[in-house]
């Protein structure tokens, strides 16, 4: 008998713990065969042990007889053979009951199967991020140490999907993956990247190609020998678009602490913004906590960014915007955009 943590509970677990993968580890050959379901007392113990209190426990089984759901337990049936390495052993609270978690790539695929594309993108960005959830930390988020690997990468997910032929939702998983971006440093950052980067038919602004926390080398004066010095800056969100063969860039920084960290933090943020502003052709915006709680202001900033990127108004319509059909299409788009804002920018999520 063994228990296998899966689906959303697996993603939440990955986002609250250091990666269980170690470089050089042998690929696990464990399978779903022999998996079982914990009773109510064991569910409570697992939630406490795995730091998942308040999170429904998703488990994977291969026997229909075990399939049942309660408020704290969701059981998922898996009768197909999984690719090698799909299960990773983790520390169990019992000496006689092994505990496994599905690999992050399979967890992503599982979420795709049961969710709309924005949810899948958000989950993928969490698994490919540089942050970890720590409910005791200031703001609830900490950055992963160098020794703590990201749960997944775009490349590792793509490789897994190549090996997952026959599993459900592989095709929509590939579709969602093209909008996933690596190196997010907070859930809010992921939400903002989706709000400005996803295509309009998913509720995004469709401003251009998004990169999270790219390195930009900034001029930092000259040393005593007259040699030019540079220093690295990392804007949270860089959006790139091309117009008539010319590249345009807009950067957004999300400074969550700028409103309550005092004068020294404000000075540091200002100097950081001033340095980035010297990059040729790069327009830089800063968003504070109050800003990202204001839907209308985020829409306005998106339109300002669109003008800077020399992009046409979105969404593109095949009817006049002033017509009855045009107004209806714009209303539908604004509804999608507001839903995206509420769910992924403003919304409180477990990852």
């Amino acid at each position: 008998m063994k228990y296998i943590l899966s689906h959303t509970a697996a993603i939440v677990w990955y986002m609250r713990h250091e990666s269980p993968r170690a470089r050089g580890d042998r690929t696990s050959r464990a399978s779903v065969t022999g998996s079982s379901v914990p009773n109510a007392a064991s569910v409570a113990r697992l939630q406490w042990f795995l730091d998942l209190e308040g999170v429904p426990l998703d488990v994977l089984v291969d026997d229909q007889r075990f399939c049942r759901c309660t408020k704290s337990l969701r059981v998922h049936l898996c009768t197909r053979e999984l690719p090698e390495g799909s299960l990773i052993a983790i520390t169990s609270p019992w000496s006689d009951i092994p505990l496994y978690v599905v690999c992050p790539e399979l967890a992503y695929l599982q979420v795709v199967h049961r969710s709309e594309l924005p949810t899948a993108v958000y989950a993928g960005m969490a698994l490919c991020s540089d942050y970890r959830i720590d409910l005791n930390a200031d703001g609830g988020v900490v950055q992963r140490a160098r020794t703590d690997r990201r749960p997944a990468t775009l490349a590792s997910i793509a490789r897994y999907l190549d090996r997952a032929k026959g599993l459900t939702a592989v095709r929509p998983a590939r579709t969602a993956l093209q909008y996933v971006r690596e190196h997010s440093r907070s859930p809010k950052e992921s939400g903002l990247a989706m709000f400005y980067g996803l295509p309009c038919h998913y509720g995004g602004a469709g401003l251009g190609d998004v990169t999270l926390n790219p390195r930009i080398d900034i001029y930092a004066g000259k040393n005593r020998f007259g040699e030019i010095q540079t220093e690295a800056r990392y804007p949270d969100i860089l959006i790139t678009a091309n117009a008539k063969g010319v590249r345009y860039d807009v950067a957004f920084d999300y400074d969550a602490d700028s409103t309550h960290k005092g004068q020294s933090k404000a000075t540091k943020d200002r100097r950081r913004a001033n340095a980035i502003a010297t990059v040729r052709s790069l327009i830089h915006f800063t968003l504070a906590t109050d800003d990202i709680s204001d839907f209308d202001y985020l829409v306005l900033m998106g339109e300002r960014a669109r003008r800077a990127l020399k992009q046409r108004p979105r969404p593109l319509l095949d009817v006049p915007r002033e017509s009855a059909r045009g107004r209806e299409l714009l209303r539908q788009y604004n509804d999608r955009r507001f839903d995206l804002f509420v769910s992924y920018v403003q919304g409180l999520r477990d990852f």
Side-chain angles (χ1 to χ4, degrees), residues 51 91 101 145 174 178 200 204 215 226 312 316 328 330 350:
D51 192 24
T91 304
V101 61
R174 292 189 197 280
Q178 66 182 311
C200 295
R215 176 183 174 128
R312 295 174 60 189
L316 300 177
E328 175 60 19
L330 289 174
D350 291 314

Side-chain angles (χ1 to χ4, degrees), residues 334-345:
N334 283 326
D335 288 346
R336 292 194 301 272
R337 182 160 55 173
F338 186 73
D339 288 343
L340 192 73
F341 165 75
V342 170
S343 298
Y344 305 101
V345 179

Side-chain angles (χ1 to χ4, degrees), residues 15-290:
M15 298 312 299
R16 294 187 181 183
H17 295 81
E18 292 189 1
S19 173
R21 284 173 166 165
R23 298 185 189 278
D25 275 1
R26 291 185 178 181
T27 301
S28 168
R29 296 187 178 183
S31 69
V32 184
T33 303
S35 56
S36 187
V37 175
N39 59 29
S42 295
V43 167
R45 184 178 182 184
L46 275 172
Q47 288 175 311
W48 170 81
F49 180 79
L50 297 171
D51 192 24
L52 295 177
E53 291 176 292
V55 178
L57 211 61
D58 294 289
V59 297
L60 207 60
V61 298
D62 66 341
D63 193 329
Q64 180 72 45
R65 295 175 301 171
F66 290 126
C67 288
R68 67 176 189 272
C69 292
T70 67
K71 183 178 179 180
S72 301
L73 180 69
R74 297 182 295 214
V75 181
H76 307 271
L77 181 65
C78 177
T79 57
R80 294 179 181 246
E81 184 176 351
L82 297 175
E84 193 173 277
S86 293
L87 305 182
I88 300 174
I90 58 177
T91 304
S92 172
W94 299 282
S95 59
D96 58 337
I97 305 178
L99 183 60
Y100 293 86
V101 61
V102 299
C103 68
E105 294 81 8
L106 176 55
Y108 165 76
L109 183 59
Q110 290 170 332
V111 168
V112 171
H113 176 50
R114 295 176 173 271
S115 308
E116 296 182 347
L117 181 135
T119 300
V121 172
Y122 188 82
M125 292 177 77
L127 290 169
C128 294
S129 72
D130 293 332
Y131 71 86
R132 185 164 50 81
I133 299 297
D134 184 344
L135 301 179
N136 295 317
D138 184 22
V141 174
V142 296
Q143 301 307 303
R144 290 186 181 271
R146 290 188 177 182
T147 55
D148 181 16
R149 299 169 63 186
R150 284 178 287 151
T153 64
L154 292 178
S156 73
I157 294 175
R159 287 195 300 268
Y160 186 87
L161 295 179
D162 288 340
R163 297 189 295 119
K165 295 177 181 178
L167 295 186
T168 305
V170 169
R171 180 174 295 179
R174 292 189 197 280
T175 299
L177 191 62
Q178 66 182 311
Y179 302 116
V180 174
R181 295 295 182 265
E182 297 178 309
H183 300 300
S184 173
R185 294 175 65 85
S186 74
K188 294 294 187 185
E189 209 172 274
S190 298
L192 286 170
M194 292 169 59
F195 189 79
Y196 288 131
L198 282 181
C200 295
H201 52 273
Y202 295 121
L207 293 179
D209 185 49
V210 173
T211 307
L212 295 178
N213 296 288
R215 176 183 174 128
I216 296 179
D217 290 322
I218 305 295
Y219 174 75
K222 298 181 179 180
N223 63 17
R224 60 194 180 108
F225 302 108
E227 299 168 330
I228 293 177
Q229 304 295 293
T230 61
E231 55 187 23
R233 289 292 184 269
Y234 299 86
D236 295 336
I237 300 169
L238 180 68
I239 304 175
T240 302
N242 289 280
K244 297 181 179 180
V246 179
R247 168 175 167 163
Y248 296 92
D249 297 295
V250 165
F252 283 95
D253 273 318
Y254 167 50
D255 288 323
D257 299 331
S258 61
T259 58
H260 57 80
K261 285 289 186 175
Q263 185 60 39
S264 63
K265 178 65 167 64
T267 299
K268 181 179 178 181
D269 291 341
R270 184 179 66 252
R271 291 179 178 177
R272 176 174 179 247
N274 288 342
I276 293 177
T278 64
V279 179
R280 185 178 180 182
S281 78
L282 176 65
I283 294 178
H284 178 260
F285 299 112
T286 298
L287 298 171
T289 302
D290 290 344

